[in-house]
Amino acid sequence: MIIVLGSQKGGVGKSTLAVSIASYLIKLGKRVIIVDADDQKSVLTWYNNRPESMPHIPVTGATGNIKAMLKEHEKSYDYVIADCAGRDSSEMRSGLMAADVFISPLRPSQMDLDVVPHTCSVFTAAKDFNETVHGYLVLNMAPTNMFVNEANQAADVLLDFPEMKLAQSRVCDRKAHRDAWAESLTIFETHNTRAQEEIESLVKEIIL
């Protein structure tokens, strides 16, 4: 299966989410590779800083038209996860041509909601050529405070975009994600069970 993560805006936690999804699938015994197709190369930097004592997580880089590369990796891995730039890029558009699942994370903010129409239009155009791809909008970095209603308000707005399905699972803005990334660890190599459960719930909903 090929999973592409993309967004029209940076700072939505896309790379962290890609690594978290990959690490959970690996935990299940699946063969997984992450393709870092973002010119910032955040995942590759994370990978290169990873302690040698930790389990190996395959990561490779890619630029330009990545469709053929993703298809080639699919022959050797159960899951190929492509992390594309936080903008409309050739990597994201070509990746969508090969994708089984497209995940577009966004924060529950007006700035993020403003770019959803463009994301949906890119996805719809891709679906004309790749009819079997499934697209999901994922509320990421949502407030952990139950009294802050931003995520629910954002979810109500996102229901107006039927081109892509709003995932019921949400991933909260937890310090554990930032701490794990700083140490080049996955969230499943920490002790934060709440963060782990959110990733598990998301993967079970839209991938497994």
Side-chain angles (χ1 to χ4, degrees), residues 2 4 66-68 70-71 74 94-100 130:
I2 296 173
V4 172
I66 64 173
K67 177 183 176 181
L70 297 181
K71 288 287 192 182
E74 191 179 24
S94 60
L96 275 167
M97 295 295 103
D100 297 294
N130 180 8

Side-chain angles (χ1 to χ4, degrees), residues 51-189:
E52 289 185 9
S53 59
M54 303 308 294
H56 176 64
I57 297 177
V59 178
T60 189
T63 57
N65 188 333
I66 64 173
K67 177 183 176 181
M69 180 192 191
L70 297 181
K71 288 287 192 182
E72 190 62 28
H73 281 309
E74 191 179 24
K75 297 175 183 177
S76 304
Y77 293 91
D78 299 315
Y79 294 92
V80 181
I81 301 176
D83 178 31
C84 300
R87 55 183 168 76
D88 189 347
S89 65
S90 60
E91 289 83 7
M92 184 176 77
R93 286 182 177 258
S94 60
L96 275 167
M97 295 295 103
D100 297 294
V101 174
F102 174 55
I103 299 172
S104 187
L106 69 156
R107 301 181 66 149
S109 74
Q110 189 59 52
M111 286 186 291
D112 287 61
L113 293 172
D114 286 344
V115 303
V116 171
H118 185 71
T119 302
C120 288
S121 68
V122 171
F123 175 74
T124 301
K127 202 168 175 64
D128 288 340
F129 299 91
N130 180 8
E131 296 179 356
T132 59
V133 63
H134 297 279
Y136 295 90
L137 297 167
V138 175
L139 283 170
N140 195 33
M141 305 175 78
T144 54
N145 187 338
M146 69 175 68
F147 298 107
V148 177
N149 205 34
E150 286 176 327
N152 291 333
Q153 292 170 345
D156 289 340
V157 173
L158 292 172
L159 293 176
D160 293 333
F161 299 97
E163 304 94 329
M164 295 179 65
K165 185 176 181 180
L166 172 62
Q168 295 303 303
S169 305
R170 299 175 186 175
V171 179
C172 289
D173 185 15
R174 301 186 186 278
K175 186 173 180 290
H177 288 291
R178 296 189 290 276
D179 289 346
W181 190 272
E183 297 179 36
S184 290
L185 301 176
T186 76
I187 196 64
F188 292 95
E189 292 162 347

